[in-house]
Amino acid sequence: MIDPQLEEIESLKEEGALDDALEIANQLLAKNPKNKDALYQVADIMYRKWEILKAEKPINFLLDQEHDDAMSRYIKWVLEMEKTNRQEAKNNLKKAMSLLDDDNPEMMRCYAICEYRSGNREWGMGYLKQAFEMNKFDAEIILNMVELHILQHQRKHAQRYIKYYYDHTTQLQYFDKSKEQYDEKILLFQEYIVYQLELKETKKKK
């Protein structure tokens, strides 16, 4: 059963009442300083307030207590990325993946992007394909597939995933952004590919 105070924190965060949410999280920690869920909430609240160093404190506390779990490492990855410590971020994400009992497509997707941006493009593409196989209806994974194939100058592959996006639009899962935001990005990629093809044809005629 979920603690009603944790549910209240989630509601307050959605309303933007971060200080009120933080007060309740601190009340929970006053009762039990090692309350993992409350510590995660403090980290999330401080992250939303864009106070990265303060967001790190509860996560570092958990890791110092030898509470090495996937969620703590995943949050640490997010925070290290915000500080542009990419290698440290990647190490934490890799550790998070190793601690999971089951495959996690979101973590695999994030690790793929880390590898790609670190210059390991082939590995990055390989991990992203694995993420896609884990969840073929995650809109963010499909969007990344389109984007990376464009960066690789593999327009046909990019077009294939754009078509896949439209063919499965009723089955897609949208986690961090609205459907409209994804639709807009996919359309922009589609228009970019069309523009590149038209440019190529123009050059041929010259």
Side-chain angles (χ1 to χ4, degrees):
M1 184 176 178
I2 300 175
D3 189 320
Q5 284 184 293
L6 290 173
E7 289 185 331
E8 188 176 358
I9 290 171
E10 288 295 335
S11 297
L12 288 167
K13 287 193 300 185
E14 287 179 14
E15 294 169 8
L18 298 179
D19 290 336
D20 293 337
L22 183 61
E23 185 177 345
I24 296 172
N26 284 331
Q27 289 172 9
L28 289 170
L29 289 171
K31 297 175 188 175
N32 176 12
K34 295 184 179 181
N35 185 322
K36 182 175 69 172
D37 291 325
L39 287 164
Y40 286 154
Q41 289 292 352
V42 171
D44 185 41
I45 292 164
M46 300 317 295
Y47 178 74
R48 290 170 185 242
K49 289 165 72 75
W50 205 242
E51 297 188 40
I52 303 301
L53 295 179
K54 289 184 179 179
E56 271 191 309
K57 286 184 179 179
I59 301 305
N60 289 340
F61 173 78
L62 283 170
L63 293 173
D64 287 344
Q65 297 296 312
E66 297 184 359
H67 188 86
D68 204 356
D69 68 289
M71 180 56 73
S72 296
R73 289 291 179 179
Y74 180 75
I75 295 171
K76 186 73 172 169
W77 165 74
V78 172
L79 298 175
E80 292 296 342
M81 283 296 285
E82 293 295 353
K83 296 191 297 178
T84 67
N85 295 335
R86 295 196 175 183
Q87 186 58 50
E88 185 66 23
K90 189 168 75 170
N91 292 342
N92 277 284
L93 188 55
K94 191 173 184 178
K95 182 67 174 177
M97 290 167 62
S98 73
L99 292 167
L100 289 170
D101 294 326
D102 300 308
D103 290 334
N104 185 302
E106 172 59 14
M107 285 192 188
M108 183 64 77
R109 182 193 73 80
C110 293
Y111 191 68
I113 300 302
C114 277
E115 286 288 2
Y116 191 90
R117 289 177 178 171
S118 297
N120 302 320
R121 295 184 175 183
E122 188 175 340
W123 287 8
M125 289 299 299
Y127 287 126
L128 190 58
K129 286 174 184 175
Q130 287 183 49
F132 177 73
E133 289 301 319
M134 290 177 197
N135 185 356
K136 294 185 177 182
F137 301 115
D138 185 323
E140 190 70 23
I141 292 174
I142 297 168
L143 188 70
N144 288 156
M145 291 295 278
V146 174
E147 182 180 9
L148 293 197
H149 279 302
I150 288 174
L151 289 173
Q152 292 289 97
H153 305 290
Q154 298 171 336
R155 288 190 287 266
K156 287 184 179 179
H157 290 298
Q159 287 173 312
R160 189 179 73 198
Y161 283 103
I162 289 172
K163 184 178 184 303
Y164 183 91
Y165 178 90
Y166 287 125
D167 287 347
H168 297 84
T169 187
T170 58
Q171 299 166 274
L172 296 181
Q173 300 161 356
Y174 308 96
F175 296 106
D176 296 324
K177 307 179 188 75
S178 68
K179 179 182 181 300
E180 290 72 25
Q181 288 175 298
Y182 281 105
D183 287 347
E184 184 179 349
K185 286 195 172 185
I186 287 290
L187 181 60
L188 284 172
F189 284 136
Q190 192 172 22
E191 289 174 344
Y192 175 78
I193 291 171
V194 170
Y195 170 75
Q196 288 294 314
L197 290 172
E198 288 175 348
L199 191 63
K200 187 177 180 181
E201 286 301 314
T202 302
K203 286 180 178 179
K204 279 184 181 180
K205 289 175 182 179
K206 289 182 179 180

